Amino acid sequence: MKQFKELLAQTLEQGVEHEDRTGVGRISLFGPQAEFSLQESFPAITLRKLFFKTMVKETLWFLKGTDSCDYLDEQGVGIWKQWTHPTLNSVGPLYGVQLRKWRTSTNQCIDQLARAIDMLKMRPFASDNVITLWNPETRPDYNQTPEWNVEHGKQALAACHGTTIQFFARRLTTKERSLALTTHPHLKAPLFGLYTKCYQRSQDSLAFGFNVGQYSLLNCMIANLLSMVPIKHIHTWGDFHIYSNHVAGVKEMLTREPLPAPTLKINPDVKHIDDYKPEDFELVNYQHHEHIQFSVAR
C-alpha cells in the first residue's frame, strides 16, 4: 500500500481543483498507474479497513450479469442503494450486464467474461484478450435523475471502472514454479502465470481499495479455475481524484505507515466462474489501521 499512499500525496500536491457532477468539488490527478504483485500477497488496503466480504459480494454480483440489486439485498450489501431505482430495484445495464450480457446491434448476447476465460484456455498468450464495460449506448443522461435513466434503459451511474480489462498469460520461470508450489500448494504443476490490467476512467480515492482489490480478486479467481498462478495486476487511471470533503481523511491516512500485506485463500475445488460463493474467499493475516468514515459524493 506504499503506492497508494504515494498516489494520495501526489494528488494533493500536484492535482488540480475543479468542479464536478456531484457539486462537491475535487482535486484531480490525470493518468497515474500502479502495479500490484499477486504471487505472495494480496493488495488489500491497510491504511484503513477494507470491508473484504462486502468487496467479494459486490464482485460476485457483477459476475451474475444482472441489473437487479436483489443479490446485494440478500447479502446485506447496501452500497448501491443511493443509485438503485426504488421500485424496480435496479441500477440499469451497468457492470454485470456489460460483462456477461452485452447486447449487440442484432440483439445477440455476448458473455465477455466467458469468452476471456475460454481464450486463456485456448490461446493464453493472446494479446487481444480484451473486454470493456464501457457501453456508449447505455451511459446515463446526467440531465436526468438515476431513476429516469434506469426507467429508460440507461445506467443509473456511468461505469467508473472496467473501461478496458486485459488478460495475459505467460510461461512461468523455474523460480516462479518453485515459489508457486509453496504459495499455491493445490497446483500440482503450474505452467502459466496470469496478468490483468484495468483502465479506470474515474477513481474516487475512497473506492481505491475496492476497485484494485476487485480486479486483483478477479485475476486470482480465474487463475484458480485454470490452474494458473496469479502474477500481477496493473491498474491505470484516467481521473484519480480526492473529493473536497475527503481531504481531512486522506491527510489522516498519510500519517499512517502501511502494514504487511495479507494473503488470499480461495477454495481450490471451484471449477466454474459462476460457482464461486462468498465463503470461498478468506483474507489471511489481514492487518489494518482504524477505519475512517467518509461521506459518499453523489
Side-chain angles (χ1 to χ4, degrees):
M1 283 300 103
K2 181 181 178 183
Q3 294 180 90
F4 178 45
K5 188 174 179 180
E6 291 172 348
L7 186 53
L8 291 177
Q10 184 183 6
T11 303
L12 287 178
E13 293 169 5
Q14 302 176 17
V16 177
E17 293 187 33
H18 64 85
E19 299 175 353
D20 63 17
R21 171 186 57 83
T22 69
V24 173
R26 61 194 185 196
I27 304 170
S28 290
L29 182 72
F30 190 79
Q33 178 171 292
E35 300 185 3
F36 305 92
S37 174
L38 305 176
Q39 290 178 278
E40 298 182 74
S41 61
F42 186 81
I45 187 171
T46 62
L47 300 180
R48 66 185 182 94
K49 183 178 180 180
L50 168 67
F51 291 94
F52 176 72
K53 282 299 183 182
T54 300
M55 184 201 79
V56 168
K57 291 172 181 177
E58 186 191 31
T59 304
L60 295 180
W61 173 59
F62 294 154
L63 300 188
K64 291 185 178 299
T66 180
D67 67 328
S68 169
C69 294
D70 290 350
Y71 176 78
L72 294 179
D73 292 343
E74 293 166 6
Q75 296 295 326
V77 176
I79 56 179
W80 277 94
K81 280 302 180 185
Q82 295 184 65
W83 298 280
T84 302
H85 193 287
T87 57
L88 299 177
N89 205 31
S90 169
V91 292
L94 244 168
Y95 302 105
V97 174
Q98 306 307 328
L99 183 65
R100 308 301 304 271
K101 297 176 182 177
W102 181 290
R103 286 290 173 183
T104 71
S105 58
T106 57
N107 205 33
Q108 294 180 318
C109 185
I110 298 175
D111 186 338
Q112 293 194 86
L113 182 60
R115 280 189 173 186
I117 294 173
D118 286 343
M119 188 177 292
L120 283 170
K121 293 177 183 177
M122 298 181 291
R123 298 171 53 221
F125 309 120
S127 60
D128 60 343
N129 198 349
V130 177
I131 62 181
T132 179
L133 307 185
W134 182 260
N135 188 340
E137 187 176 4
T138 61
R139 63 182 300 186
D141 179 352
Y142 282 126
N143 292 316
Q144 306 292 341
T145 64
E147 292 79 9
W148 183 95
N149 278 297
V150 171
E151 291 169 2
H152 289 79
K154 306 289 186 180
Q155 301 168 0
L157 183 71
C160 294
H161 56 80
T163 313
T164 58
I165 308 162
Q166 185 167 2
F167 302 90
F168 183 77
R170 65 161 174 80
R171 289 194 180 276
L172 296 171
T173 65
T174 301
K175 182 179 180 180
E176 288 171 332
R177 281 198 294 271
S178 178
L179 175 62
L181 295 177
T182 302
T183 57
H184 301 81
H186 63 284
L187 299 178
K188 303 303 180 183
L191 295 177
F192 297 102
L194 182 61
Y195 290 78
T196 45
K197 183 171 185 177
C198 173
Y199 179 84
Q200 181 163 351
R201 70 159 183 94
S202 179
Q203 175 74 78
D204 176 358
S205 60
L206 171 63
F208 175 96
F210 257 56
N211 298 147
V212 167
Q214 285 174 323
Y215 285 96
S216 298
L217 181 68
L218 183 62
N219 180 310
C220 295
M221 293 168 71
I222 294 174
N224 185 57
L225 297 176
L226 303 181
S227 296
M228 292 183 177
V229 176
I231 298 292
K232 182 183 291 185
H233 173 64
I234 304 167
H235 214 96
T236 302
W237 292 277
D239 179 5
F240 185 97
H241 53 268
I242 300 171
Y243 282 107
S244 59
N245 59 343
H246 296 168
V247 171
V250 166
K251 288 182 176 179
E252 169 62 28
M253 282 195 286
L254 290 176
T255 68
R256 301 174 174 183
E257 287 300 317
L259 298 172
T263 56
L264 177 67
K265 184 178 180 181
I266 299 183
N267 181 358
D269 296 327
V270 177
K271 303 303 180 185
H272 193 278
I273 193 68
D274 294 322
D275 292 340
Y276 281 113
K277 298 178 176 61
E279 56 267 28
D280 291 323
F281 307 90
E282 180 185 357
L283 209 52
V284 181
N285 295 325
Y286 179 41
Q287 304 173 56
H288 58 83
H289 288 276
E290 183 180 353
H291 181 59
I292 299 174
Q293 186 65 45
F294 289 92
S295 298
V296 176
R298 185 176 190 270

